[in-house]
Amino acid sequence: MAPPTAYQEGMVGPHWSKGWIIEDCEISDSKCSGISLGKYRQPNNDNKWLKWKFKDGTQTERDCICQAQREGWTKENIGSHIIRRCNIHDCGQTGIVGHLGGVFSIIEDNHIHHINNKQNLAGAEIGGIKMHAAIDVIIRRNHFHHCTRGLWLDWQAQGTRVTQNLFHDNTLPNEENANPEGMDGIGEDIFIEISHGPTLVDNNVLLSDRAMKLATQGVAVVHNLIAGSFTAVGRGVNNGSEKLPSPRYTPYHVPHRTEINGFMTVLHGDCRFYNNIFIQKPVRAGMEEIRKLTGDNEWDDGNLTAGTAPYSGYPTLEEYVARFEGYCGMGSGKSPDLYYEKLPVWLGGNVYFNGAKPAKQEQDAVVDTEHEITIGVKEENGKWKLETNVYDYLPQNACAVISTETLGMAFEPEQKYENPDGTPIVFRYDYFGNRQGIHPLPGPFASKEAAEEALS
C-alpha cells in the first residue's frame, strides 16, 4: 500500500529529489503502484497511524507535512519531474502515486488504464493517478480509462491544472465489487478532495457515469464536455466521527511555493463553471443498485444526474458580499456564522442536453429539451474517436472568452487561476490547441470538425 503518511513505493520512483524525466516507458502489473512521486521516509512518522493509534490519519498527515517543511520540502529541492508518453496499466492500486514529492511536475501524453480492476486493494489511495499536494502540477493530454477512479487530487491541489485529457469508463469494473463501507463508492473520472484550490479543470472530455467528485472548494471547470454527474457536493470533508465534530483542516500555501500559509476546513462553494457542455447519459444497468449500497452517506451522495444542479442554492458573489454589509465583528449585531457559510459559485455559458440540470441560480443556461444527444467513444486501429451529434445542436455566439481575470482568485489561498509562473491564462485554445473564435463554442473543441479528430 502507498498511504501519504508512509514511504510510498512504486516500480519506478524518484522520491525525495528533483528534476527526473520518466518518458516512453511501459509500466504494468505492479501489485501496488507503477510510478511513485512520494516522499522520503520519516522514521518517527512513517505510517504512524497504524503504529501509534491515538492520533487519526488526518492529524498524522498534517504532522508529516509540517515536518517535511522543516526538513527541506521546497521548490528549490524537490519535484519538477516530467512523466510523459508512458503506457501505465494493470497496476493493483495506482498508476502514479505521489505525496509532497510530485510538486511542480508535468504529467503529459500518458496512457493510463486498467488500474485497480481486480479490487484486491481498497481504501483512500486508488486511481489512475492519486496525488496529495499536487502544487502547480500540470496534468495534460493523458488518456484515462477503465480505472476504478481516473484522477484523484487529495489535499493541496493548489495551482493544479488538468487540461486536454480524455476520461472514459472509469468506474467499478463489476457491479458486485461495490464497497459500502468506505470512500471507494462507484468511482469517477476526477475526484478533488478537501483542497482550497485554485484547481483548474479545462478542455477535457469526461464520459464516465460520474464526472467529478467535488468534496472540495476553489475549483474552476471551463470548456469541458461532461457526460457524467457531480457528486459529494457539500459533503465528504469530515473525518468520520459518529457523534463528535471531526472537520478536516488542510493546508494552503504561499502561491507557487511549498511554504504553508495556513490551515482551514472546507466551507464548500468557491467554484466556477463556464462554457461547459453537460449531457445526461442513460444510467447504466446496475448503477442504481450500486448507488443504493454506496451513495448518500457522509462521503458521497451517489448522484447520477449530470449538470450543475448540486450547486443550487449556493450564493452568488453579490449575495455573499451583501451578507457582510454592516458587519464589523463582535457587537455588530450580526452572527459570526457568516464566516462559516457556503462560499459563492459562478456560472455562465453552460449548455445542457438530455435532461442534464443547471443550478437554479444559473441565469444564462441553455437547456435543450428538443434534441436527443448521443455520446460515446470508439476505438479504431488504436485510435480513440468521439461519437456524438452534440455539435449539430450547440448554440452559436453564446459564450464569452474566459480568462484568469474572469475566474478571480480562490478564496482561502487568495491565489488566481493562473500559470505556475504567475502569468494569466486566456482560454482561446481547445483540446487540440486550435484557436477558438471571438465567441468560442462551449466545450473543449473549437469546431465540429475538431471534435471528429482522433482524441488519443
Coordinates of all heavy atoms in Angstrom, one line a residue, residues 29 64 73 82 122 135 192 237 392 394 406-407 429:
D29 N 1.5 -4.0 -14.2 CA 1.4 -5.2 -13.3 C 2.1 -5.1 -12.0 O 2.5 -6.1 -11.4 CB 1.9 -6.5 -14.0 CG 1.1 -6.8 -15.3 OD1 0.0 -7.3 -15.1 OD2 1.5 -6.5 -16.4
C64 N 3.1 15.2 9.2 CA 4.2 14.9 8.3 C 4.4 16.0 7.3 O 5.6 16.2 6.9 CB 3.9 13.5 7.6 SG 3.0 13.6 6.1
W73 N 11.5 20.5 2.3 CA 10.5 20.5 1.2 C 10.3 21.8 0.7 O 9.5 22.6 1.1 CB 9.2 19.9 1.8 CG 8.1 19.7 0.7 CD1 8.2 19.2 -0.5 CD2 6.7 20.1 0.9 NE1 7.0 19.2 -1.2 CE2 6.1 19.8 -0.3 CE3 6.0 20.8 1.9 CZ2 4.7 20.0 -0.6 CZ3 4.6 21.0 1.6 CH2 4.0 20.6 0.4
I82 N 9.1 15.2 -14.8 CA 8.3 15.1 -16.0 C 8.1 13.6 -16.2 O 9.0 12.8 -16.3 CB 9.1 15.7 -17.3 CG1 9.3 17.2 -17.1 CG2 8.3 15.4 -18.5 CD1 10.1 17.8 -18.2
A122 N -8.0 -1.7 -1.6 CA -9.1 -0.8 -1.4 C -8.6 0.4 -0.6 O -7.4 0.5 -0.4 CB -10.3 -1.4 -0.8
I135 N 0.9 20.6 -6.0 CA 1.1 22.1 -6.1 C 1.7 22.4 -7.5 O 2.8 21.9 -7.9 CB 2.0 22.6 -5.0 CG1 1.3 22.4 -3.7 CG2 2.3 24.1 -5.2 CD1 2.2 22.7 -2.5
I192 N -11.7 15.5 -6.6 CA -10.9 16.5 -5.9 C -11.4 16.6 -4.5 O -12.5 16.9 -4.2 CB -11.0 17.9 -6.6 CG1 -10.7 17.7 -8.1 CG2 -10.1 18.9 -5.9 CD1 -10.9 19.0 -8.9
V237 N -16.1 16.1 3.8 CA -14.9 16.8 4.3 C -14.7 16.6 5.8 O -13.7 17.1 6.4 CB -15.0 18.3 4.1 CG1 -15.2 18.6 2.6 CG2 -16.2 19.0 4.9
D392 N -24.0 19.3 -33.7 CA -25.1 19.8 -34.6 C -26.1 20.7 -33.9 O -26.9 21.4 -34.6 CB -25.9 18.5 -35.2 CG -25.0 17.7 -36.0 OD1 -24.1 18.2 -36.7 OD2 -25.3 16.4 -36.0
L394 N -25.3 22.8 -30.9 CA -24.7 23.8 -30.0 C -25.1 25.2 -30.4 O -25.2 25.6 -31.5 CB -23.2 23.7 -30.0 CG -22.6 22.5 -29.3 CD1 -21.0 22.6 -29.3 CD2 -23.0 22.4 -27.9
T406 N -11.5 36.7 -15.5 CA -12.9 36.2 -15.3 C -13.0 35.4 -14.0 O -13.9 35.5 -13.2 CB -13.3 35.4 -16.5 OG1 -13.0 36.0 -17.7 CG2 -14.8 35.1 -16.4
L407 N -12.0 34.5 -13.8 CA -12.1 33.5 -12.8 C -11.8 34.0 -11.4 O -12.2 33.4 -10.4 CB -11.2 32.3 -13.1 CG -11.5 31.6 -14.4 CD1 -10.5 30.5 -14.6 CD2 -12.9 31.0 -14.4
Y429 N -7.7 28.4 -26.7 CA -7.3 27.3 -27.4 C -8.0 26.0 -26.9 O -8.2 25.9 -25.7 CB -5.7 27.1 -27.3 CG -5.0 28.3 -27.9 CD1 -4.6 29.4 -27.2 CD2 -4.8 28.3 -29.3 CE1 -4.0 30.5 -27.7 CE2 -4.1 29.4 -29.9 CZ -3.7 30.5 -29.1 OH -3.1 31.5 -29.7

